[in-house]
Amino acid sequence: MPAVSPKRRLLRVGKTVARVLGYCRANAWPLFVAAWFPCFLMTLCLAALVLILFADPEQVPAWLLSQGFAHGTWLSAIVAAPFSAMVFAFVLDRMANAPERGHIVVRRGIDQVKRFAIPGVRFELGQRILLAALLLAAVQLLCGFAVAGEHRLFVAGLLATHDLPLSPEDVASWAMARGIFNMLVGGFLLAWEYLLVGDFLWTGSFDPVGCWRALDGNRLRFVAIMFIVFAIVAILKYGLGLAVGLILIPADGASPSFLNRMLMHFGLAWPFDGLHLVLSAATVATILGAFRPKANASVRPAAAP
């Protein structure tokens, strides 16, 4: 098999990203309908968690806190996991079933109890989604605690090799290197975590070895595509966050209240967390559809009404 040139590999990556973005643009409304409610519930639950824990920081138990998690507590990984799994399941279901109706990949719990069905709202906590959420939470907890441990080692190393008080020059270069390292390793692990979760929802079985073998020759391509997706969302999110901050933060330099900061943070987080999950799930579905053709065997006919 002839080797593929770097230029051709880069071209393939670009075409795949364009294909994912094109699909999401053409199906923006169905994907929004499928994902908005779990994303809204995730944001609401995380906001409630932060409000309960940090409204009075002095009363927060130390064992609930950790520097390795986005919201300062490892509970955030557990709270977010079921809703992230739901979004993945719904996007994969949508992409698998778009060509023809009458087939499902993931059982729709809300469709089985139609008296609770609400137009435009989709919610499910079936066995497969709960197992996917367990996998998401386990990996996120492992990575978060690893980052927290690395932070302690980083601080201990600085204290052992530099005299007190530490100057900004002593910390800046090491902190930047640590941030870049965590970003690259974290993005790599997140990409493969999403692929394994998507493969589990796609096939109904947890088969990381088979998933790894299916991408033989395309693993670097997959990681590059996921990094591009992550970068697109991050640029949009933090760019808009900076613009909103410049507009809403008072010109006199007064610090906004805790409640205002929380509302700003989660108000921006909801659409972009949803965009992150939808684009990631669509990318995973595209990759699985191309390199895991046997997954189609798990698509089952829908029961007759």
Side-chain angles (χ1 to χ4, degrees):
M1 185 176 182
V4 180
S5 66
K7 183 177 180 180
R8 181 166 294 183
R9 287 181 183 273
L10 187 61
L11 184 61
R12 288 180 178 179
V13 168
K15 286 183 177 180
T16 305
V17 173
R19 180 181 175 187
V20 171
L21 295 178
Y23 174 85
C24 291
R25 184 177 64 251
N27 296 273
W29 178 248
L31 291 174
F32 171 78
V33 171
W36 81 268
F37 190 61
C39 292
F40 174 73
L41 288 181
M42 179 174 65
T43 302
L44 192 64
C45 291
L46 288 174
L49 176 66
V50 170
L51 184 61
I52 292 170
L53 287 182
F54 299 108
D56 187 4
E58 295 181 357
Q59 301 298 320
V60 182
W63 59 274
L64 289 178
L65 303 179
S66 177
Q67 293 289 333
F69 297 88
H71 301 290
T73 173
W74 53 267
L75 290 175
S76 60
I78 298 174
V79 170
F83 306 109
S84 300
M86 267 187 265
V87 173
F88 260 74
F90 298 163
V91 172
L92 288 169
D93 186 32
R94 168 71 196 177
M95 294 185 73
N97 301 327
E100 59 178 357
R101 297 182 179 180
H103 294 80
I104 57 176
V105 175
V106 181
R107 285 290 177 189
R108 302 180 181 183
I110 196 134
D111 289 347
Q112 295 175 5
V113 190
K114 293 191 176 181
R115 63 180 179 275
F116 295 123
I118 303 173
V121 173
R122 188 171 178 188
F123 181 88
E124 178 187 354
L125 281 177
Q127 181 181 6
R128 192 180 294 189
I129 289 180
L130 287 174
L131 290 174
L134 181 63
L135 177 59
L136 281 170
V139 175
Q140 292 295 326
L141 288 171
L142 180 63
C143 293
F145 285 126
V147 170
E150 179 199 16
H151 176 74
R152 295 190 184 95
L153 291 174
F154 172 71
V155 173
L158 285 176
L159 294 176
T161 56
H162 296 79
D163 297 327
L164 294 177
L166 294 173
S167 65
E169 292 78 12
D170 295 333
V171 179
S173 58
W174 289 101
M176 182 179 296
R178 175 175 174 265
I180 293 173
F181 174 79
N182 286 341
M183 180 182 67
L184 294 175
V185 174
F188 179 83
L189 293 176
L190 188 63
W192 283 101
E193 176 192 20
Y194 282 170
L195 184 68
L196 293 179
V197 168
D199 186 65
F200 172 72
L201 292 169
W202 188 267
T203 63
S205 62
F206 183 64
D207 183 18
V209 175
C211 189
W212 174 267
R213 289 174 177 172
L215 265 67
D216 185 27
N218 292 280
R219 295 167 191 143
L220 185 60
R221 173 187 173 190
F222 164 69
V223 173
I225 291 168
M226 293 299 289
F227 265 90
I228 292 173
V229 169
F230 295 159
I232 290 172
V233 178
I235 291 171
L236 292 174
K237 180 178 180 179
Y238 293 109
L240 181 60
L242 178 61
V244 171
L246 292 174
I247 294 171
L248 297 182
I249 292 177
D252 57 8
S255 178
S257 66
F258 170 76
L259 183 60
N260 287 338
R261 283 187 283 114
M262 192 187 75
L263 291 175
M264 289 172 55
H265 173 78
F266 285 103
L268 286 172
W270 174 37
F272 286 105
D273 287 347
L275 180 63
H276 168 88
L277 288 172
V278 168
L279 285 178
S280 299
T283 303
V284 166
T286 302
I287 295 296
L288 291 174
F291 301 111
R292 286 282 265 177
K294 292 182 180 179
N296 294 332
S298 69
V299 178
R300 299 165 296 177

